[in-house]
Amino acid sequence: MTERIAFQLQIAPAMVDEYVARHTPVWPEMLAEIAASGRRNYSLFLGEGGRLFGYYETDDDEAARTYLAASPVAARWEAAMAEFFVGLVGRADQAATPLVEVFNLHDQLTASGA
């Protein structure tokens, strides 16, 4: 079953432009590791004041986290990105707290038979 994972992080407001620049584009080897971990349909959205919202889908989030935790490429990426986050202890790919999903259109339409 597909898990939908959403999370929120805070980027230091003064570093937002540099954060965006480092994602334009992300290292090809990091993109490959994200895909190899089983994460897909992965997006990041930037809000006012450096509020960052992320979303991805996976069949096994624990396995994806474990894969990335052991990846030397992900370790280098996360070390390079650590300076951007406010109030985060540990690597963003391991320490971001998932948000609770309260509504999904597809699930409710399916349940209602519509």
Side-chain angles (χ1 to χ4, degrees):
M1 182 171 122
T2 297
E3 296 178 66
R4 294 181 295 261
I5 308 296
F7 59 90
Q8 186 172 335
L9 294 164
Q10 180 64 45
I11 304 299
M15 301 184 80
V16 166
D17 290 343
E18 178 63 22
Y19 181 85
V20 172
R22 291 215 196 156
H23 283 79
T24 314
V26 169
W27 306 339
E29 60 271 27
M30 186 58 197
L31 297 174
E33 285 295 81
I34 293 169
S37 79
R39 291 181 178 179
R40 59 189 180 277
N41 198 21
Y42 197 150
S43 294
L44 295 173
F45 302 88
L46 189 58
E48 197 171 319
R51 186 172 45 94
L52 186 74
F53 171 79
Y55 173 85
Y56 60 88
E57 296 169 351
T58 184
D59 294 327
D60 184 343
D61 194 41
E62 187 60 36
R65 289 165 85 79
T66 299
Y67 180 92
L68 291 171
S71 165
V73 172
R76 282 196 328 272
W77 173 263
E78 294 299 337
M81 300 305 294
E83 67 183 304
F84 294 98
F85 299 107
V86 175
L88 183 67
V89 177
R91 289 174 33 173
D93 69 335
Q94 301 296 310
T97 302
L99 300 172
V100 175
E101 183 176 24
V102 296
F103 169 78
N104 180 273
L105 176 63
H106 178 267
D107 288 354
Q108 287 199 20
L109 286 172
T110 301
S112 72

